Amino acid sequence: MNDIEKINFLINSCKKDNQRFPHTLIVSEDFSLSEAFALDIASKLGRDLVIVNAAMIRAPGDMAEVVTNRKINDLLLIEDINLFNKECLYYFCEILENFRLNLMIDSGFNARSVVVNLNEFTVIGSIAKVHLMPRKLMSSFFCIIEGKETRKIGAETIYKILNDEFISATKDVSEHIFSLTDSKRVEIKPFLKNLISFCKLSGFQKNDVLTCDTVDEYFNFFGISNFKKEIDSSRQVVIEVQREVWKRDQGKCVICQSQERLEYDHIIPFSKGGSNTVRNIQLLCESCNREKSAKI
Ligand SMILES: [Zn+2]
């Protein structure tokens, strides 16, 4: 069973018995893939999807806010799931296993713990590399999907969204949109909304067929060249990101574990549209970095 078959199998069985989709981990260096994947499941199951980054959940209170508002069988996509701090990781494991949040309130004499029972929802975790996954968390996930397979899902989602709006799109055009948005780091859903408006503005009729030319035309109109310039000027990795990456990679080269001559490396190179996010940056020693550059 490949990953796509796995997902479809799960979606169909959940639909049939109105069951909760099991916790799933997506391994991909690419942001938009995990999002497309979660969107696809949510839309096929008719559930709500909320997206948060683990680095944003810093304290039990943040965690409570995220998990207590979920409805039964809803989806929660947690990006960079390896970035939970120790305290939050502890709470999160308990939530994944038992859907229970054990909070301490007040302090000193008045300190007491309060157990909050949560609705049973689904966590879709995403992580750049599987070796970054905290061991403790791994067994809480029912299945693991590798990013390369989710590329197809991204294109499928685009195809579906367009056709729902009565814009006929071939698989080829969907693939084209996917690879463009993907390489330019543009979020798919809002982009499609604008693309649909553009089609309507340019006199598109119901069930007209969208071509790659129209897509390119909109990309020009959208001003993707300006967008690119902005990325270039922010090429430098900001301090906060450096700190987070250093912590995650534990001050070691992720390839050879060396602790000397370390450099911040873009996993997907800048020239190929790689971003300055924690997820796309890793620690490499000078020699591993040279070796990687030579291969690219
Ligand atoms: Zn190294």
Side-chain angles (χ1 to χ4, degrees):
M1 213 184 243
N2 69 25
D3 284 339
I4 301 270
E5 287 164 348
K6 257 199 269 188
I7 297 159
N8 286 332
F9 168 79
L10 288 173
I11 289 176
N12 288 333
S13 3
C14 292
K15 251 183 169 168
K16 214 163 54 198
D17 313 329
N18 200 25
Q19 285 201 57
R20 182 176 65 81
F21 195 87
H23 301 318
T24 300
L25 181 70
I26 306 163
V27 183
S28 170
E29 280 160 14
D30 200 321
F31 249 142
S32 52
L33 286 184
S34 44
E35 199 183 312
F37 172 85
L39 267 172
D40 184 62
I41 300 173
S43 82
K44 282 182 179 155
L45 291 175
R47 302 290 175 191
D48 287 343
L49 170 70
V50 168
I51 304 174
V52 290
N53 191 295
M56 299 296 137
I57 302 175
R58 298 232 152 258
D62 302 336
M63 179 74 81
E65 203 181 311
V66 170
V67 298
T68 50
N69 290 321
R70 305 282 69 82
K71 295 192 298 289
I72 287 181
N73 295 353
D74 271 0
L75 277 87
L76 176 63
L77 170 61
I78 301 199
E79 291 175 334
D80 289 327
I81 198 158
N82 50 310
L83 295 185
F84 278 128
N85 60 34
K86 221 173 158 190
E87 189 184 20
C88 288
L89 182 62
Y90 167 81
Y91 282 105
F92 190 65
C93 288
E94 173 83 8
I95 291 165
L96 280 178
E97 294 302 323
N98 306 315
F99 294 101
R100 238 181 11 213
L101 185 62
N102 206 335
L103 279 177
M104 285 299 287
I105 54 172
D106 266 345
S107 55
F109 265 135
N110 296 322
R112 58 197 187 279
S113 85
V114 173
V115 176
V116 183
N117 289 313
L118 304 166
N119 288 324
E120 298 199 0
F121 57 89
T122 298
V123 171
I124 309 282
S126 85
I127 196 163
K129 294 197 165 160
V130 79
H131 76 263
L132 299 173
M133 188 69 172
R135 241 207 198 157
K136 229 176 130 176
L137 257 185
M138 197 59 138
S139 54
S140 303
F141 287 90
F142 181 77
C143 69
I144 298 174
I145 306 290
E146 299 272 4
K148 49 189 183 305
E149 286 291 337
T150 55
R151 180 168 290 274
K152 287 184 211 140
I153 299 177
E156 256 176 45
T157 307
I158 290 172
Y159 178 79
K160 195 181 161 293
I161 292 176
L162 288 173
N163 284 285
D164 282 352
E165 289 287 329
F166 304 107
I167 290 179
S168 299
T170 58
K171 298 272 180 202
D172 280 351
V173 171
S174 311
E175 293 269 0
H176 181 60
I177 297 171
F178 183 81
S179 57
L180 276 174
T181 48
D182 188 40
S183 66
K184 309 292 185 205
R185 307 252 133 204
V186 178
E187 276 190 53
I188 293 174
K189 231 182 167 180
F191 177 81
L192 282 181
K193 215 175 127 193
N194 290 329
L195 176 66
I196 290 163
S197 306
F198 178 77
C199 289
K200 287 178 180 160
L201 275 172
S202 25
F204 227 75
Q205 300 295 314
K206 233 185 190 184
N207 298 327
D208 273 358
V209 179
L210 184 64
T211 62
C212 289
D213 283 346
T214 311
V215 173
D216 291 341
E217 207 181 306
Y218 177 61
F219 256 97
N220 286 329
F221 191 82
F222 179 57
I224 205 71
S225 54
N226 296 339
F227 182 74
K228 238 173 131 184
K229 234 182 257 158
E230 207 173 288
I231 292 179
D232 285 339
S233 69
S234 63
R235 176 168 189 147
Q236 231 180 334
V237 180
V238 294
I239 300 292
E240 288 89 342
V241 172
Q242 286 190 354
R243 204 174 290 144
E244 208 61 68
V245 170
W246 185 272
K247 222 168 72 190
R248 180 196 65 203
D249 295 344
Q250 299 170 332
K252 286 183 281 199
C253 168
V254 298
I255 295 174
C256 73
Q257 318 293 319
S258 162
Q259 293 181 299
E260 275 153 48
R261 291 176 182 276
L262 295 172
E263 298 172 348
Y264 290 96
D265 166 59
H266 285 82
I267 298 170
I268 300 169
F270 223 86
S271 54
K272 301 208 163 106
S275 68
N276 272 330
T277 54
V278 172
R279 153 183 295 252
N280 191 44
I281 292 164
Q282 62 186 357
L283 277 181
L284 286 184
C285 69
E286 198 183 11
S287 66
C288 288
N289 204 0
R290 295 298 156 271
E291 212 176 302
K292 185 194 160 192
S293 310
K295 273 187 213 146
I296 290 175

